[in-house]
């Protein structure tokens, strides 16, 4: 029987579903006889989810359902789920005014209700879809994957239907084997109720695949909602230039989901993919890599890609990405400006070189500053978002002052109105070094539920430990009260008012401490 694959993108914010698109494209190139359809619940009103899914399945009659589950981000520091989870948590834990504390509790209850409601709804949609598909094709199977599943795959096994194939990380090779009727359990996956989950499954390296340009002419024939993402001029469409991240940042799960092996997509194929979207009217692109320039050895690949974009004649485009700013050379800076980069994010987490080292991030903050100066000299005059996560491992009042000093130097380079501090508090994710640290320090015990929103668990996973937890709680509450629409800048100003700022050189210096006795040699 010829397989009929229905990709169902479970409800989430309207972000271009590049994972599902790339999967369908890959399958079509290898198995052109397979019938496929993409159904995006992100474009459907919530009250219509069930009926729309039923109708789609009844019309297409799939033999294989592939569900893409993008988000289970519990401690997001931005608005969502009917409120701001970080603000609710801080009001509940740190507010001194009982009415504010009550407001935080009620807001937190609303967030928790929405969160658990989404979990139950998505599991219900998977079960409903499989049951409906089996009315038409009794042997129909289902695969569930996506970013959320890759992180919380161990917890979801108790909720998904028996026989569900749970995919961790990339799914191309898994689908190849299933469609080729080959043994697939050696891929990063497991079957609910049939086999035990392998230890450290997520840490297994994905199988490299040769990535060619997505065929959007084909995608347009199987995805009726495609035009939804093409109608807004300010919408960024995702294009992937590489997979994998070689770093060891203590809190980040990307490096295990995508693997440490960086796999570069051929520059000609990336440009060819962009050209197809360009001809459909797209002018804004988001390079969806974990990091656009993950390490110095990949600088030539970035230069090659940007030069080929220049040569392509797509002069009126803009693009954005997460960027390791310590890897930007003057040549790259020039090409970034020429090719229309109008926004980028730097995830330095702290402006203290000492803390950056302790978090295993590999950043040289002095180099970041110099490269930012090169970008400014090349003509970059757009927005920079700088991610700071306060109260990380071994944070002190001195390191806070160093972060303030570092941020002020970035403002001096780009202009205060162009540097947006994004204030995060690290959400502790499973499978990370930070989780191991929490086990070692008895903050968490093995077997805890990382998907729990119970207050006693949430306060640990939000990662704002004492003795500075209450201090940051008060600072953030003051910032929300004084200037909620510019929260990040207000936090920085309050910190500077309270503590002052360190000399910049202090922020950029991280002396290597040693317990060995100092030996003096007389000359």
């Amino acid at each position: 029987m010829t397989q009929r694959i229905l990709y169902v993108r479970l409800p989430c914010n309207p972000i271009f579903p590049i994972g599902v698109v790339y999967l369908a494209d890959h399958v079509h190139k290898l198995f052109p006889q397979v019938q496929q359809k993409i159904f995006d619940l992100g474009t459907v009103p919530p009250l219509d989810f069930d009926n729309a899914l039923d109708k789609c399945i009844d019309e297409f009659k799939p033999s294989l359902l592939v569900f893409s589950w993008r988000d289970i981000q519990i401690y997001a520091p931005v608005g969502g789920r009917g409120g701001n989870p970080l603000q609710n948590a801080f009001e509940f834990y740190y507010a001194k005014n009982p009415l504010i504390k009550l407001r935080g509790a009620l807001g937190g209850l609303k967030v928790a209700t929405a969160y658990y409601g989404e979990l139950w709804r998505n599991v219900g949609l998977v079960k409903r879809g499989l049951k409906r598909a089996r009315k038409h094709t009794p042997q129909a199977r289902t695969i569930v994957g996506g970013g959320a599943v890759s992180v919380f795959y161990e917890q979801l096994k108790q909720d998904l239907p028996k026989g569900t194939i749970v995919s961790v990380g990339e799914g191309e090779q898994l689908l190849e084997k299933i469609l080729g009727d080959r043994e697939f359990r050696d891929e990063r996956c497991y079957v609910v109720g049939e086999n035990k989950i392998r230890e450290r499954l997520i840490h297994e390296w994905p199988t490299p695949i040769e990535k060619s340009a997505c065929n959007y002419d084909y995608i347009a024939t199987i995805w009726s909602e495609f035009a939804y993402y093409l109608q807004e001029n300010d919408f960024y469409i995702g294009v992937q230039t590489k997979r994998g991240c070689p770093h060891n940042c203590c809190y980040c799960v990307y490096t295990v989901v995508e693997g440490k092996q960086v796999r570069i997509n051929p520059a000609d194929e990336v440009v060819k993919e962009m050209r197809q979207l360009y001809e459909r009217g797209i002018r804004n692109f988001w390079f969806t890599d974990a990091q656009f320039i993950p390490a110095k050895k990949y600088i030539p690949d970035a230069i090659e890609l940007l030069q080929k974009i220049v040569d392509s004649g797509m002069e009126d485009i803009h693009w954005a990405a997460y960027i390791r700013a310590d890897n930007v050379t003057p040549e790259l800076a020039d090409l970034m400006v020429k090719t229309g980069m109008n926004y980028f994010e730097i995830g330095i987490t702290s402006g203290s070189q000492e803390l950056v080292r302790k978090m295993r991030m590999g950043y040289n903050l002095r180099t970041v500053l110099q490269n930012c100066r090169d970008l400014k000299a090349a003509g970059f005059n757009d927005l920079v978002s700088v991610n700071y996560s306060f109260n990380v491992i071994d944070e002190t009042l001195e390191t806070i002052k160093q972060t303030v000093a570092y941020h002020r130097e970035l403002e001096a380079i780009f202009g205060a109105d162009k540097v947006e501090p994004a204030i995060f508090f690290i959400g502790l994710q499973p499978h990370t070094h930070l989780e191991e640290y929490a086990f070692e320090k008895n903050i968490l015990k093995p077997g805890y539920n990382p998907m729990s929103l119970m207050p006693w668990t949430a306060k640990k996973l939000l990662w704002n430990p004492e003795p500075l937890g209450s201090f940051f709680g008060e600072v953030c509450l003051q910032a929300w009260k004084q200037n909620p629409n510019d929260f990040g800048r207000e936090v920085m100003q309050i910190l500077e008012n309270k503590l002052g700022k360190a000399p910049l050189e202090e922020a950029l210096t991280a002396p290597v401490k040693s317990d060995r006795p100092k030996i003096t040699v007389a000359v």
Side-chain angles (χ1 to χ4, degrees), residues 308-322:
K308 288 188 173 180
I309 291 175
V310 171
D311 298 340
S312 73
M314 294 185 288
E315 296 179 351
D316 55 339
I317 66 170
H318 292 105
W319 63 271
Y322 295 103

Side-chain angles (χ1 to χ4, degrees), residues 73-248:
Q73 180 53 275
I74 306 170
Y75 305 104
V78 292
R81 293 195 169 97
N84 185 322
L86 183 66
Q87 183 174 355
N88 292 330
F90 274 34
E91 287 180 346
F92 176 69
Y93 291 127
Y94 303 116
K96 294 177 180 177
N97 184 325
L99 294 178
I100 300 296
K101 190 178 283 286
L102 176 62
R103 184 176 71 182
L106 294 175
L109 179 63
K110 183 179 178 182
V111 169
T113 302
Y115 164 69
Y116 284 114
E118 287 178 19
L119 286 179
W120 296 327
R121 179 202 66 202
N122 284 0
V123 169
L125 287 168
V126 172
K127 293 177 177 177
R128 184 186 188 97
L130 181 60
K131 183 178 180 181
R132 194 82 177 190
R134 285 180 171 169
K135 286 185 176 182
H136 307 286
T137 310
Q139 67 271 40
R141 300 192 74 177
T142 187
I143 300 173
V144 179
V149 175
S150 295
V151 176
F152 300 104
Y153 65 93
E154 294 169 303
Q155 288 71 41
L156 289 171
K157 69 179 184 297
Q158 61 193 11
D159 298 316
L160 295 170
K162 185 177 180 180
T164 298
I165 301 167
V166 177
S167 173
V168 175
E170 298 160 21
E172 284 93 341
Q173 193 74 8
L174 174 63
L175 269 176
E176 273 188 47
K177 290 185 175 181
I178 290 173
L179 295 174
D181 200 23
R182 295 151 54 197
E183 175 53 50
F184 61 84
R185 289 169 181 81
D186 57 338
E187 292 295 319
R188 292 204 293 175
C189 70
Y190 69 91
V191 182
V192 175
E194 291 185 16
N195 65 311
K196 186 179 178 181
I197 304 174
R198 294 193 297 274
E199 290 288 330
R200 294 177 61 82
L201 175 63
I202 194 172
H203 294 277
E204 297 175 8
W205 284 27
T207 304
I209 64 166
E210 181 69 27
K211 177 74 175 67
S212 57
C214 181
N215 181 352
Y216 276 104
D217 286 338
Y218 170 69
I219 294 299
T221 67
I222 67 168
W223 183 22
S224 58
E225 298 91 2
F226 183 28
Y228 173 87
Y229 295 95
L230 305 181
Q231 60 191 357
E232 295 293 337
N233 292 330
D234 61 346
F235 209 98
Y236 281 78
I237 299 295
V239 173
Q240 194 171 59
T241 80
K242 64 187 67 63
R243 293 181 180 180
C245 181
H247 296 284
N248 290 300

Side-chain angles (χ1 to χ4, degrees), residues 213-508:
C214 181
N215 181 352
Y216 276 104
D217 286 338
Y218 170 69
I219 294 299
T221 67
I222 67 168
W223 183 22
S224 58
E225 298 91 2
F226 183 28
Y228 173 87
Y229 295 95
L230 305 181
Q231 60 191 357
E232 295 293 337
N233 292 330
D234 61 346
F235 209 98
Y236 281 78
I237 299 295
V239 173
Q240 194 171 59
T241 80
K242 64 187 67 63
R243 293 181 180 180
C245 181
H247 296 284
N248 290 300
C249 304
C250 70
Y251 54 83
C252 185
V253 76
Y254 269 104
T255 189
V256 286
V257 172
E258 293 197 2
K260 287 183 175 296
Q261 181 185 8
V262 177
R263 291 145 287 152
I264 305 293
N265 297 338
D268 287 329
E269 297 298 316
V270 174
V271 173
K272 182 179 176 183
E273 184 173 313
M274 293 175 68
R275 170 63 71 178
Q276 293 181 66
L277 294 165
Y278 183 85
E279 291 173 354
R280 287 173 165 79
I282 296 301
R283 295 295 181 268
N284 295 323
F285 299 91
W286 180 275
F287 292 138
T288 62
D289 319 351
Q291 294 286 350
F292 180 64
I293 322 166
K296 285 182 170 51
K297 66 182 288 188
Y298 303 106
I299 290 173
D301 299 289
I303 288 173
E304 180 190 8
L305 173 60
L306 295 182
Q307 186 58 57
K308 288 188 173 180
I309 291 175
V310 171
D311 298 340
S312 73
M314 294 185 288
E315 296 179 351
D316 55 339
I317 66 170
H318 292 105
W319 63 271
Y322 295 103
I323 290 177
R324 293 275 309 195
D326 53 339
N327 297 324
V328 176
T329 65
E331 182 181 4
L332 260 176
D334 185 58
L335 283 169
M336 287 171 167
V337 174
K338 278 185 179 176
T339 50
M341 183 180 76
N342 66 339
Y343 172 79
F344 71 98
E345 295 193 19
I346 309 174
I348 59 172
T349 302
S350 173
S352 166
Q353 185 66 59
E354 179 185 354
L355 295 192
V356 167
R357 178 179 291 168
K358 287 181 177 179
M359 288 184 287
R360 308 183 183 187
M361 300 188 67
Y363 266 112
N364 184 311
L365 295 182
R366 193 185 302 275
T367 304
V368 171
L369 287 181
Q370 182 54 53
N371 295 351
C372 286
R373 294 184 187 104
D374 291 340
L375 268 170
K376 182 65 177 179
F380 182 78
N381 289 308
D382 290 291
L383 188 65
V384 182
S385 178
V386 188
N387 296 344
Y388 296 109
S389 295
F390 286 110
N391 210 7
V392 293
I393 297 171
D394 291 342
E395 183 89 85
T396 66
L397 296 181
E398 287 305 313
T399 58
I400 297 168
K401 290 158 65 177
Q402 292 169 18
T403 296
V404 173
Y406 193 85
H407 184 73
R408 296 305 183 215
E409 183 63 18
L410 284 172
E411 289 181 333
I413 294 170
F414 291 113
D417 61 325
K418 300 294 187 182
V419 184
E420 183 178 81
I423 308 300
F424 291 78
F425 285 80
I426 296 173
L428 192 151
Q429 300 268 29
H431 322 296
T432 61
H433 295 301
L434 190 63
E435 183 188 54
E436 295 173 8
Y437 177 87
F439 290 153
E440 291 171 7
K441 299 296 183 182
N442 257 349
I443 296 169
L444 291 171
K445 297 187 182 302
Y448 79 103
N449 181 7
M451 294 174 65
S452 171
L453 267 191
M454 295 299 102
W456 48 88
T457 305
K459 191 170 185 179
K460 294 177 181 178
L461 300 186
L462 182 56
W463 201 270
N464 185 35
E466 298 299 342
L468 289 176
S470 299
F471 170 76
F472 279 114
E474 292 172 8
V475 167
C476 289
L477 290 175
Q478 184 181 342
W480 276 308
K481 182 179 180 181
Q482 292 176 184
N483 195 355
N485 296 322
D486 203 355
F487 172 70
R489 290 188 178 92
E490 193 66 20
V491 166
M492 285 296 184
Q493 190 59 55
I494 292 170
L495 288 173
E496 185 170 6
N497 292 344
K498 285 179 176 288
L499 304 176
K501 65 178 182 178
L504 180 62
E505 187 59 30
E506 187 178 305
L508 302 179

Side-chain angles (χ1 to χ4, degrees), residues 1-5 7 23-24 26-36 63-64 66 141 143 165 171-184:
M1 184 188 73
T2 301
Q3 291 273 20
R4 297 175 63 83
I5 305 176
Y7 301 89
L23 271 178
H26 183 77
V27 167
H28 180 65
K29 286 166 179 168
L30 293 179
F31 304 94
Q33 75 280 8
V34 170
Q35 298 295 306
Q36 300 188 98
S63 59
L64 180 62
V66 179
R141 300 192 74 177
I143 300 173
I165 301 167
E172 284 93 341
Q173 193 74 8
L174 174 63
L175 269 176
E176 273 188 47
K177 290 185 175 181
I178 290 173
L179 295 174
D181 200 23
R182 295 151 54 197
E183 175 53 50
F184 61 84

